[in-house]
Amino acid sequence: QVQLVESGGGLVQPGGSLRLSCAASGSIFSINGMYWYRQAPGKQRELVAVIASGGTTRYADSVKGRFTISRDNAKKAVYLQMNSLKPEDTAVYYCNADIGRVGVPGIYNYWGQGTQVTVSS
């Protein structure tokens, strides 16, 4: 089995910062793309940031210049540094990854359980 576990969410004032972490565990052979999504109340889940296995990154226009995605392949972890937070960044943030499992052919997509980020004064 594979699990993704997020941490680091919480309540922060506008203009503040938070760092989200997500660690993968289980019988993992390889991790390809790693992603952060978010879902605000009443809205569809949206892609926030992507980081490929080689380190190439891509961001949603709404977070460019404020958020930074990074990964530590040795720790099987992905991070999201969020700066200059705005109330509209309030959402549940989900970690997502494309993972190959030991002894199992193919690449499969996994989700974390989500962590709440609330930006409010």
Side-chain angles (χ1 to χ4, degrees):
Q1 288 284 11
V2 170
Q3 280 191 318
L4 297 177
V5 178
E6 300 104 332
S7 60
L11 173 64
V12 63
Q13 292 187 342
S17 298
L18 279 177
R19 186 178 189 242
L20 304 182
S21 300
C22 172
S25 63
S27 300
I28 295 171
F29 177 73
S30 64
I31 303 179
N32 294 348
M34 302 188 83
Y35 314 82
W36 286 100
Y37 285 79
R38 68 185 180 187
Q39 187 167 20
K43 294 189 176 182
Q44 287 190 329
R45 192 171 295 188
E46 64 171 347
L47 179 62
V48 175
V50 181
I51 185 165
S53 56
T56 302
T57 59
R58 185 161 45 93
Y59 298 92
D61 287 343
S62 58
V63 307
K64 279 181 183 175
R66 300 189 298 122
F67 290 11
T68 302
I69 189 171
S70 61
R71 63 191 286 169
D72 184 329
N73 291 329
K75 294 183 178 180
K76 300 183 179 65
V78 62
Y79 309 98
L80 188 67
Q81 178 66 42
M82 305 185 293
N83 299 329
S84 302
L85 282 160
K86 305 175 181 180
E88 50 263 43
D89 295 317
T90 296
V92 178
Y93 284 71
Y94 296 90
C95 173
N96 179 273
D98 298 320
I99 294 175
R101 294 170 57 189
V102 175
V104 178
I107 302 295
Y108 297 90
N109 188 259
Y110 294 88
W111 290 92
Q113 82 287 353
T115 185
Q116 177 70 47
V117 172
T118 302
V119 185
S120 175
S121 55

